[in-house]
Amino acid sequence: MLKDYSIHGEEIHAVITQFDLYQTFESGQCFRWNQMTPNRYMGISLDHVLDVEKREDRFVLRGTDRNTFEEYWMDYLDLKRDYAAIVKAVSVEESISKAAAYGWGLRILLQEEWETMISFILSSNNNVKRIKNLVEGLSHKYGRPIQYGGRTLYTFPRPEELQGVTCEDLAPVRCGYRASYIVDAVEKVMGGRVDPKTLRSLSYQEGIRKLMEIKGVGPKVADCIFLYGAGKYESYPVDVWVKRVTESIYMKRDATAAEIKKRADDLWGDLAGFAQQYLFYYARENNLKTGEII
DNA sequence: CAGCAGGACGATC
DNA sequence: GATCGTCCTGCT
Ligand SMILES: [Mg+2]
């Protein structure tokens, strides 16, 4: 967690425990963070840019200011949470304990609702590399340019900026059949049928049901949006990796997504989302196969 | 060139 | 309410 920070000209120097840049930004939860050097990542959310460098004794943050750091990035990076306590709490058994120790510096980002919604609609039936390309393409075409450090970044387009777009308009983005899903999401949000800003006030069941009204949002994508865009940590998104690893460790049989989510709820309850993040990261980094145990 | 990876939808039972 | 074929693209 955030222990201390101070302003040094254009830089903010912060002492943060349990924070690893690679683990956090390469764990499949976000698509707009890029590694600049092994110890440095740059990302954008809304119209905020953040440039984070890990040093020996501190993190150096650039591209932001005190107010934006305190009012936006602090929550986005979940810096007030004690992840050492999270690791302990989810470690109910040997395999998850190993996975959580392995992902000791993971943090679950609290991302902006609308951006999370569209990003995870694009994520369905895709891998991270391609998702990043799609989100980048959409932002380049419909977002606004921002200059930082001699380069141009593009904001993720707001609903108003996508209002009226058609599948044909989206063809250059190369998102395939997901184009119609984007169109539907824009219509539902602009029409008020779905309100990203009230998502966080909904219960788990209400939120998932509401999100699934959008075309292209099924159980897995809804869980991702609710977990990463609303901080609903009882969510347990079941993708192929989490399915495999949960089945092989905790069920020892083929199971449906609903059965897997129930098992996760029994094991971790309101912290299931954190457990999912550790298991996913471990499984994917180690290319775990069906039946393999951690 | 073929095969494969990755979730949601819609038809069908 | 569960199962299954199909969708789209990029990589191997
Ligand atoms: Mg839906």
Side-chain angles (χ1 to χ4, degrees):
Chain A
M1 57 199 298
L2 181 64
K3 297 295 187 187
D4 183 46
Y5 65 100
S6 53
I7 314 291
H8 298 260
E10 299 287 291
E11 301 177 343
I12 297 175
H13 292 200
V15 178
I16 306 165
T17 58
Q18 314 287 136
F19 183 32
D20 183 84
L21 300 178
Y22 179 88
Q23 292 176 17
T24 297
F25 297 131
E26 308 285 359
S27 55
Q29 61 177 319
C30 55
F31 309 109
R32 303 220 66 196
W33 286 88
N34 292 303
Q35 192 175 48
M36 300 291 107
T37 69
N39 287 316
R40 191 167 174 184
Y41 273 79
M42 192 181 296
I44 180 168
S45 178
L46 295 178
D47 56 357
H48 308 307
V49 173
L50 188 64
D51 171 1
V52 198
E53 183 190 4
K54 181 188 172 56
R55 296 257 183 93
E56 280 293 319
D57 57 337
R58 69 188 74 181
F59 288 89
V60 177
L61 315 181
R62 303 181 181 87
T64 191
D65 54 41
R66 177 192 290 275
N67 187 58
T68 308
F69 173 65
E70 291 174 348
E71 302 301 323
Y72 192 74
W73 295 116
M74 202 104 89
D75 287 331
Y76 181 102
L77 297 170
D78 205 18
L79 296 181
K80 294 168 187 162
R81 192 179 310 276
D82 179 0
Y83 274 79
I86 295 290
V87 167
K88 279 185 191 163
V90 300
S91 295
V92 298
E93 158 285 339
E94 195 180 340
S95 292
I96 181 65
S97 303
K98 286 183 187 167
Y102 182 81
W104 61 270
L106 269 172
R107 312 185 74 82
I108 292 190
L109 304 173
L110 182 60
Q111 302 174 68
E112 198 277 332
E113 299 91 332
W114 163 255
E115 297 187 359
T116 309
M117 211 179 270
I118 300 301
S119 296
F120 280 94
I121 286 173
L122 291 174
S123 83
S124 89
N125 223 16
N126 270 151
N127 56 52
V128 174
K129 184 179 179 188
R130 191 156 97 91
I131 301 161
K132 287 180 77 168
N133 279 333
L134 297 180
V135 171
E136 223 41 56
L138 186 69
S139 301
H140 192 271
K141 188 165 167 61
Y142 293 102
R144 289 172 292 105
I146 292 187
Q147 306 299 327
Y148 173 74
R151 55 179 96 218
T152 306
L153 301 170
Y154 291 87
T155 60
F156 193 102
R158 303 304 303 160
E160 312 82 61
E161 295 175 302
L162 289 174
Q163 187 164 32
V165 293
T166 63
C167 292
E168 299 79 72
D169 295 332
L170 290 168
V173 179
R174 302 193 61 73
C175 56
Y177 57 80
R178 298 161 199 82
S180 68
Y181 300 162
I182 303 292
V183 170
D184 184 64
V186 172
E187 282 172 358
K188 288 214 164 70
V189 169
M190 290 305 293
R193 297 272 296 109
V194 174
D195 181 11
K197 280 300 150 205
T198 58
L199 193 57
R200 293 178 191 181
S201 70
L202 302 181
S203 70
Y204 182 75
Q205 292 301 336
E206 288 172 335
I208 295 295
R209 192 165 358 99
K210 175 56 70 179
L211 286 167
M212 284 181 49
E213 288 178 16
I214 300 170
K215 284 181 204 153
V217 178
K220 192 274 182 179
V221 170
D223 262 336
C224 285
I225 297 169
F226 222 30
L227 177 58
Y228 305 123
K232 295 293 180 179
Y233 303 109
E234 64 262 56
S235 303
Y236 193 80
V238 180
D239 75 325
V240 294
W241 295 95
V242 169
K243 174 174 158 62
R244 279 201 285 263
V245 74
T246 311
E247 281 174 349
S248 54
I249 299 171
Y250 301 107
M251 309 183 78
K252 310 198 186 303
R253 65 178 175 86
D254 193 69
T256 66
E259 291 172 324
I260 291 167
K261 285 161 63 67
K262 174 66 167 63
R263 187 77 181 100
D265 184 46
D266 291 342
L267 286 161
W268 302 293
D270 287 350
L271 300 180
F274 295 102
Q276 178 269 163
Q277 202 65 23
Y278 295 124
L279 291 171
F280 174 84
Y281 179 69
Y282 188 97
R284 206 169 72 103
E285 287 293 308
N286 295 285
N287 202 10
L288 239 58
K289 306 294 187 203
T290 305
E292 269 192 83
I293 300 286
I294 299 173

